[in-house]
């Protein structure tokens, strides 16, 4: 089972692409280390206050893949540096 999620964040305190990328890379690296997911920024690469991140988890069961994605999303949402705008999930 493959679970795919997209989440969009706004980084209000960012005043440059350098500040945005510092927050983004820190969270992407930590998420990859803590959870069995692949993570990448997929949109708004040249916008300094927004980002859209994709997460993918592949597992033998839908329940375990969804649980891993949900834990990763909760971890990303817990960062006080940004605010979640929307989440979208799909099951393949």
């Amino acid at each position: 089972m493959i679970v795919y999620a997209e989440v969009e964040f706004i980084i209000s305190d960012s005043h440059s692409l350098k500040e945005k990328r510092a927050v983004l890379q820190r969270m992407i690296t930590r998420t990859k280390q803590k959870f069995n997911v692949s993570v990448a920024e997929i949109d708004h690469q040249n916008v300094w206050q927004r980002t859209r991140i994709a997460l993918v988890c592949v597992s033998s069961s839908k329940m375990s893949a969804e649980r891993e994605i949900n834990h990763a999303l909760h971890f990303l949402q817990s960062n006080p540096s940004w605010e979640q705008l929307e989440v979208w999930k799909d099951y393949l």
Side-chain angles (χ1 to χ4, degrees):
M1 173 56 66
I2 300 170
V3 178
Y4 173 79
E6 288 183 14
V7 61
E8 189 160 333
F9 292 101
I10 188 161
I11 309 167
S12 301
D13 294 337
S14 176
H15 296 82
S16 69
L17 284 174
K18 187 175 182 178
E19 289 177 10
K20 172 198 168 180
R21 290 186 179 126
V23 170
L24 184 61
Q25 288 306 313
R26 182 175 59 244
M27 290 307 292
I28 286 176
T29 301
R30 289 180 182 170
T31 303
K32 287 178 180 179
Q33 290 173 345
K34 290 182 75 134
F35 306 100
N36 186 23
V37 296
S38 293
V39 185
E41 182 181 26
I42 60 167
D43 200 3
H44 308 301
Q45 285 92 344
N46 293 320
V47 179
W48 45 269
Q49 286 192 322
R50 281 182 93 156
T51 188
R52 181 175 282 268
I53 299 172
L55 297 94
V56 177
C57 183
V58 179
S59 182
S60 59
S61 73
K62 179 180 178 180
M63 182 182 285
S64 64
E66 187 170 17
R67 182 177 51 243
E68 197 71 15
I69 286 286
N70 287 338
H71 287 310
L73 288 172
H74 181 70
F75 174 72
L76 289 169
Q77 293 162 359
S78 70
N79 184 356
S81 299
W82 57 24
E83 179 183 342
Q84 177 185 306
L85 298 177
E86 67 177 351
V87 175
W88 179 82
K89 288 185 195 176
D90 196 11
Y91 304 91
L92 309 171

